[in-house]
Amino acid sequence: MTASATADTGENPSSELEDLSTQVGDEDQREYDFIVVSNRLPVDRVVDDDGNASWRRSPGGLVTALAPVMAKADGAWIGWNGATSERLDAFSHNDMRLIPVSLSADEVEYYYEGFSNATLWPLYHDVVAPPEFHRHWWEAYRRVNQRFADAAALVAAEGATVWVQDYQLQLVPQMLRRLRPDLCIGFFNHIPFPPTEIFAQLPWRGRVIDGLLGADLIGFQRTSDASNFMRSARRFRGYSVKQQFVHVQDDDGEVSHIARAEAFPISIDSTKIHELAHDDEIIERAAQIRRDLGNPTKVLLGVDRLDYTKGIGHRLKAYSELLDDGTLTVEDAVLIQVASPSRERVEQYRILREEIEGSVGHINGQHDTIEHTAVRYLHHSYPLEEMVALYLAADVMLVTALRDGMNLVAKEYVAARVESNGTLVLSEFAGAADQLDEAVLINPHDIDGLKEAILKAVHMDPDDAKRRMKKMRREILDHDVEHWSQSFLNTLREVTADRGTASE
Ligand code: G6P
């Protein structure tokens, strides 16, 4: 593996392509039958005490689900390694071939922090923060998407399956189809797809629709996301949509292929969580967490990336009002709030951190005693083992997202509750609400309703709680992330096997 800094020379397609072929090397070209393309590679760099760097597989369900598919199908994963202006050659890690895509400092700022996370992210999450529209951000998004498409075109074997992930790469399917019409192309959007009236604001809305329609199969979290997309394809591109199918036209107006859009709700590695929840050390760690908190009667838990879509402020408001009213006291209850650091160079995230940390300070100042705290706030990320200990320690899990594609934390909590006790309070605006309808469902904007739901969860009759949790656990154990990837890939196979006849 070699790394070297590259100067930001701006756009230069032919030298970019040359550069890409040296990075990829002859042995990788036209080699792989299954390729995943995502903004980030599924590895994190770790540096030991002596300063030696190595790679560790990132936590998360996507890589767990896809690693076996990769191993079986001779696969490769294309993505950014998270650093700025660092050019890495392709390398192997745990039987997976990784093809790094490099981003310059300007591209990190305009493509990743800008267009992906300050334009698309708020726009696709009900504009809970105002999206910014800048033409030079769009230009960088287009250029970087082309680089990912070029890399996939270079390493894909004839007729390979390429699965593109998420909103950062919506133009890749069309770009890739133009380069390699022989490929089977899937796309999955992990975040919501907005209603047409909101999507309409995007100055490049038609280009994004065209980008996605380059795929044979476009997967969404919820049925409503798939129908929002289809409505936008009709309105902004004039396509007539038959059920889930669109006859996509090329530049000459000829039908190039039939694209299908459908919901495939993502899930978690339920088996892994179930196993960890039976691990004696983790069970003991959960007991220790409760002891360390002064053995409160009820432990409430929130676990989120520190993101304005998660409704952390709404949750804190409801909780603090319950303490103000005296309905809950710090002797009875404690709220653990894990807020993992995220996108810290983006302005809206900085503002949010100040707001949340201000509220926590205010609530604790008002209600803490020497022995007890109201909110134990943790601005850290934790390994899965510690997360499972927290899930086991918590009587009530609070998921109050204002909008969320799925919310895997809700599913992890359910998978970890092996005794079928504990209660999940879940926002109806999270995709998980479609599968977990035995949770206490809430509208997080309704603070009184949220307070009532928290109290209902805290005081729920144990038999009722058990009945609900059992049903939810069955759902999550039957529909894990492997089920998700298999059903997407099976449908993609079906769609591409039937090319040209799918809608007849
Ligand atoms: C969401 C997105 C992912 C993204 C993750 C973390 O789950 O759907 O695509 O990777 O957030 O965000 P980050 O910007 O750190 O990659």
Side-chain angles (χ1 to χ4, degrees):
M1 184 194 330
T2 55
S4 61
T6 42
D8 186 16
T9 51
E11 193 170 9
N12 186 343
S14 64
S15 83
E16 263 204 27
L17 274 179
E18 265 170 41
D19 206 37
L20 194 64
S21 353
T22 46
Q23 240 177 302
V24 166
D26 287 346
E27 76 274 26
D28 289 304
Q29 296 191 19
R30 293 257 171 175
E31 181 62 29
Y32 300 100
D33 290 320
F34 178 64
I35 294 165
V36 175
V37 188
S38 66
N39 177 51
R40 285 183 189 275
L41 281 174
V43 288
D44 298 316
R45 200 196 302 260
V46 282
V47 181
D48 68 16
D49 295 343
D50 301 327
N52 303 315
S54 61
W55 298 100
R56 187 178 52 202
R57 191 200 264 192
S58 323
L62 189 61
V63 54
T64 315
L66 297 178
V69 190
M70 289 260 164
K72 215 158 64 192
D74 194 10
W77 196 308
I78 297 172
W80 171 47
N81 75 325
T84 300
S85 301
E86 186 183 38
R87 184 187 170 287
L88 296 176
D89 290 340
F91 63 102
S92 296
H93 181 263
N94 285 358
D95 295 333
M96 220 189 282
R97 193 68 178 155
L98 301 178
I99 316 277
V101 169
S102 46
L103 298 183
S104 70
D106 280 353
E107 286 165 349
V108 172
E109 188 180 340
Y110 303 154
Y111 149 77
Y112 169 69
E113 291 161 359
F115 200 78
S116 296
N117 289 318
T119 303
L120 294 173
W121 183 268
L123 186 76
Y124 282 30
H125 287 89
D126 282 359
V127 292
V128 292
E132 288 183 47
F133 303 111
H134 299 296
R135 284 165 287 184
H136 64 294
W137 288 5
W138 161 256
E139 239 348 277
Y141 183 78
R142 207 191 47 69
R143 192 171 65 231
V144 171
N145 271 242
Q146 186 67 57
R147 189 172 310 148
F148 277 83
D150 290 344
L154 198 62
V155 300
E158 183 70 21
T161 294
V162 181
W163 194 0
V164 184
Q165 309 287 329
D166 228 355
Y167 64 103
Q168 302 94 343
L169 301 175
Q170 292 173 104
L171 307 181
V172 171
Q174 184 192 32
M175 291 169 164
L176 189 54
R177 180 174 293 277
R178 284 193 170 142
L179 292 165
R180 295 286 307 273
D182 58 300
L183 302 177
C184 302
I185 306 173
F187 178 91
F188 187 78
N189 202 49
H190 292 250
I191 70 171
F193 197 87
T196 305
E197 295 70 21
I198 290 182
F199 186 65
Q201 290 180 20
L202 185 68
W204 308 277
R205 58 200 187 189
R207 311 273 293 275
V208 168
I209 297 289
D210 288 343
L212 292 168
L213 283 175
D216 295 290
L217 177 63
I218 310 155
F220 295 94
Q221 301 280 27
R222 305 179 96 162
T223 315
S224 54
D225 297 319
S227 43
N228 286 344
F229 169 72
M230 286 309 214
R231 233 173 279 133
S232 284
R234 191 159 43 216
R235 167 128 171 237
F236 302 122
R237 274 301 182 240
Y239 279 117
S240 64
V241 174
K242 284 193 209 133
Q243 294 161 335
Q244 307 138 302
F245 301 101
V246 178
H247 286 70
V248 184
Q249 290 165 7
D250 60 20
D251 295 339
D252 304 326
E254 299 293 320
V255 172
S256 65
H257 66 289
I258 297 170
R260 171 165 165 179
E262 197 177 329
F264 296 87
I266 199 170
S267 192
I268 53 163
D269 185 359
S270 319
T271 315
K272 172 93 184 152
I273 305 242
H274 185 83
E275 278 167 18
L276 291 174
H278 282 101
D279 181 313
D280 289 340
E281 271 181 40
I282 293 177
I283 295 171
E284 172 46 31
R285 171 72 189 137
Q288 187 200 342
I289 290 172
R290 291 190 74 109
R291 283 197 298 275
D292 290 351
L293 290 165
N295 281 320
T297 326
K298 295 287 175 184
V299 174
L300 294 88
L301 176 66
V303 175
D304 311 86
R305 270 188 312 103
L306 188 44
D307 193 296
Y308 49 79
T309 58
K310 303 289 183 182
I312 303 171
H314 295 62
R315 184 183 318 164
L316 290 173
K317 182 158 184 56
Y319 193 65
S320 71
E321 286 190 14
L322 290 170
L323 293 170
D324 295 343
D325 303 345
T327 327
L328 290 179
T329 69
V330 292
E331 286 78 23
D332 311 321
V334 61
L335 169 61
I336 307 176
Q337 177 62 55
V338 176
S340 50
S342 186
R343 305 176 189 163
E344 293 185 288
R345 284 160 39 112
V346 180
E347 178 66 8
Q348 291 290 341
Y349 289 76
R350 288 200 192 126
I351 298 172
L352 176 78
R353 182 171 178 194
E354 276 176 27
E355 278 172 14
I356 297 299
E357 295 188 352
S359 317
V360 170
H362 183 80
I363 298 167
N364 284 346
Q366 196 85 4
H367 296 284
D368 277 10
T369 63
I370 298 286
E371 295 84 11
H372 297 282
T373 189
V375 183
R376 177 56 50 86
Y377 172 79
L378 304 157
H379 185 237
H380 300 294
S381 304
Y382 293 100
L384 191 58
E385 288 74 12
E386 181 72 353
M387 293 313 308
V388 172
L390 283 164
Y391 296 142
L392 287 176
D395 304 286
V396 176
M397 179 84 213
L398 299 176
V399 176
T400 57
L402 307 177
R403 178 59 73 192
D404 208 333
M406 177 52 61
N407 199 288
L408 295 178
V409 162
K411 292 190 171 179
E412 286 181 357
Y413 178 70
V414 168
R417 301 304 297 187
V418 290
E419 306 277 326
S420 294
N421 53 9
T423 304
L424 173 65
V425 174
L426 176 61
S427 167
E428 61 186 79
F429 302 120
D434 284 357
Q435 290 105 56
L436 301 177
D437 53 2
E438 288 294 329
V440 178
L441 293 176
I442 49 121
N443 167 5
H445 299 280
D446 171 10
I447 300 295
D448 285 336
L450 181 51
K451 287 167 70 180
E452 276 168 33
I454 293 174
L455 288 178
K456 178 173 173 180
V458 164
H459 299 301
M460 188 172 285
D461 166 59
D463 290 341
D464 191 15
K466 193 159 250 177
R467 184 191 55 77
R468 288 165 177 258
M469 189 55 82
K470 269 196 169 152
K471 244 182 121 188
M472 293 195 286
R473 287 182 55 72
R474 214 167 303 131
E475 169 67 31
I476 297 304
L477 295 175
D478 287 351
H479 297 98
D480 63 0
V481 71
E482 200 193 327
H483 174 271
W484 168 78
S485 62
Q486 287 312 323
S487 53
F488 184 94
L489 292 170
N490 288 340
T491 311
L492 178 58
R493 229 166 303 180
E494 232 174 75
V495 168
T496 47
D498 288 359
R499 260 183 193 160
T501 56
S503 73
E504 270 124 46

